[in-house]
Amino acid sequence: MTSRIIEIPAASDAGAQIPVTTIEGARPGPVLALIAGNHGYEYPPILALQELRGQIDAAALSGTVILVHVANMPSFLGRTIYFSPVDGKNLNRVYPGRADGTVSERIAYAITHEIIDRADYVLDLHCGDGNEWLRPYIYQTVTADERLNREIARLALAFGIDHIVIDRSRPTDPAHSMYCSNTAITRGKPAMTVESGYLGTCDPECVAQISAGVRGVMRELKMMADGPAPLSKAVYLDPTEVLISPETGIIYPEVRRGELVEKGQLFAIITDFFGAVIARVYSPIEGVVLYVVTTPPMVKGQPVGCVGAPRA
């Protein structure tokens, strides 16, 4: 086991550090990259990798595991949701990054070239940010490559979270992949995004769920002998809709995570800063509330929540 810091030197703005641990197994096998903290206020994935670092036995491991403990250190140390306090950018929207860009773009560039390019499989580990009350789910990207689709579907069931979003909306150009997991996928590598955790808490059940999910994937990839068995069935959500706030103000949610909502049901109310209602947000589809913003600040154009429709 080796641990190191990837240094992101200061340039047009401040630099950053990315802590990485590499565990090389005693036998050959695939390279699995586990990336936490693309959003720095999402703590359960970060804590899960702390646990896994001490639990993965190199002597019993086939292949290599790369753990990116905190991808977005400026956001983590600054306790910010979505956006970096340095450049105001969302790290998980600027992949594959730029060597000469702002700090978020330089971080994305380093992760793309030092982690994703080396990996055979990638898990981008997320949870509900500090404002999002979220129930666990997985994004399963659908591509034009059926072999890749089968591998991604296999990873999703192996992780063990029973709600799976079928995602057909990701960019296909490797030069403009935007998202961390999509950067791997556009380069032909099976990858997925995992969501488990909510509201910036260190919920131990979600930490344990992420740790167990990683072990399930490692078992499926024959990197380790033990681990949870894959799911035999899951709830597939297709389509999903992200609800966007039409106004800036204070949000009052009218739904709960995991709740089944009807099409046209009131999802949230937005008031101005004196309490007058300025907008009502309604669910555009019937489905499951995957997350809802429950902290008061709301900015026009930002997410209010997300609903996924279970397949019949």
Side-chain angles (χ1 to χ4, degrees), residues 2 15 43 50 56 59-60 64 74 81 83 106 127-128 132 142 148 158 188 202 239 255 264 297 304 307 309:
T2 59
Y43 301 138
Q50 294 290 305
I56 296 172
T64 300
I81 66 168
F83 308 110
R106 299 197 308 276
C127 66
E132 294 173 346
V142 176
L148 193 55
C202 300
V255 299
V304 169
V307 178

Side-chain angles (χ1 to χ4, degrees), residues 142-218:
V142 176
T143 75
D145 183 337
E146 287 304 317
R147 180 203 64 83
L148 193 55
N149 292 343
R150 287 193 297 271
E151 285 293 290
I152 296 170
R154 184 165 71 105
L155 292 181
L157 289 174
F159 202 91
I161 291 178
D162 67 352
H163 278 54
I164 299 175
V165 169
I166 301 300
D167 190 354
R168 297 182 176 87
S169 64
R170 302 298 184 185
T172 58
D173 181 358
H176 300 91
S177 50
M178 287 181 63
Y179 305 91
C180 179
S181 64
N182 196 51
T183 301
I185 290 169
T186 57
R187 286 155 175 77
K189 301 165 188 270
M192 65 184 184
T193 300
V194 174
E195 301 274 2
S196 180
Y198 55 90
L199 291 173
T201 64
C202 300
D203 177 59
E205 290 185 5
C206 292
V207 174
Q209 184 175 52
I210 293 167
S211 294
V214 169
R215 292 195 299 273
V217 167
M218 292 176 67

